[in-house]
Amino acid sequence: MTRNEARETMMQILYEMDAGKCMDEETIFKLTEDRLAGNHRQRGKSLLSEILGNLDVIDKSINENSRSWKTNRMPKVDLAIMRLAVGELKYSDDIPDAVAINEAINLAKKYSTEQSSKFIHGVLGAIAKR
């Protein structure tokens, strides 16, 4: 499993947790155990736990930097992508900001729309500048 594949899996886990309204540590543990391998498993657990523990801060940051949509109106896929990227921007010292943003854009192109990738790029770029 590559780092890109692990990131994609973590985005899917965030999406699934939000859609199922089961945003808790137990779900993170179970899903990362089932879907991530090797050193990606521990990194995934740590990052997803950090995101979950700081979800209000992350969502506030997204809301403050989004001109048109707020998190409660965003497509869940786009929100999962941005939450993961903001988590990487704020809580992962080993990932350069440009990489986290670029990976989020690539995920948006794969799972959402071209307009979403541009929107995500704008929001994450503004967050990274702060």
Side-chain angles (χ1 to χ4, degrees), residues 56-67:
D56 290 341
V57 173
I58 291 170
D59 285 356
K60 181 180 179 192
S61 184
I62 293 169
N63 284 327
E64 288 173 347
N65 291 282
S66 170
R67 286 183 259 161

Side-chain angles (χ1 to χ4, degrees), residues 2-42:
T2 67
R3 189 171 245 195
N4 291 347
E5 292 168 336
R7 183 178 285 111
E8 186 173 339
T9 299
M10 286 188 284
M11 182 276 297
Q12 292 168 349
I13 289 170
L14 281 172
Y15 170 82
E16 186 176 327
M17 289 173 62
D18 191 22
K21 299 191 185 328
C22 54
M23 303 289 277
D24 58 60
E25 290 287 332
E26 184 179 327
T27 303
I28 288 171
F29 183 83
K30 180 183 180 327
L31 294 177
T32 55
E33 283 292 316
D34 291 347
R35 299 181 189 172
L36 294 173
N39 59 349
H40 298 297
R41 183 175 291 144
Q42 186 54 45

Side-chain angles (χ1 to χ4, degrees), residues 3-4 7 85-86 88-90 92-107 120-121 124-129:
R3 189 171 245 195
N4 291 347
R7 183 178 285 111
V86 173
E88 288 183 326
L89 290 171
K90 291 183 178 268
S92 290
D93 295 333
D94 64 330
I95 300 172
D97 290 356
V99 172
I101 293 169
N102 188 56
E103 291 295 327
I105 293 166
N106 289 338
L107 285 170
I120 288 169
H121 186 214
L124 294 177
I127 291 171
K129 285 180 184 177

Side-chain angles (χ1 to χ4, degrees), residues 14 17 30 39 47 49 67 73 77 85 104 109 115 130:
L14 281 172
M17 289 173 62
K30 180 183 180 327
N39 59 349
L47 182 57
S49 290
R67 286 183 259 161
R73 295 191 62 224
V77 170
K109 287 178 181 176
Q115 292 83 358
R130 292 186 171 186

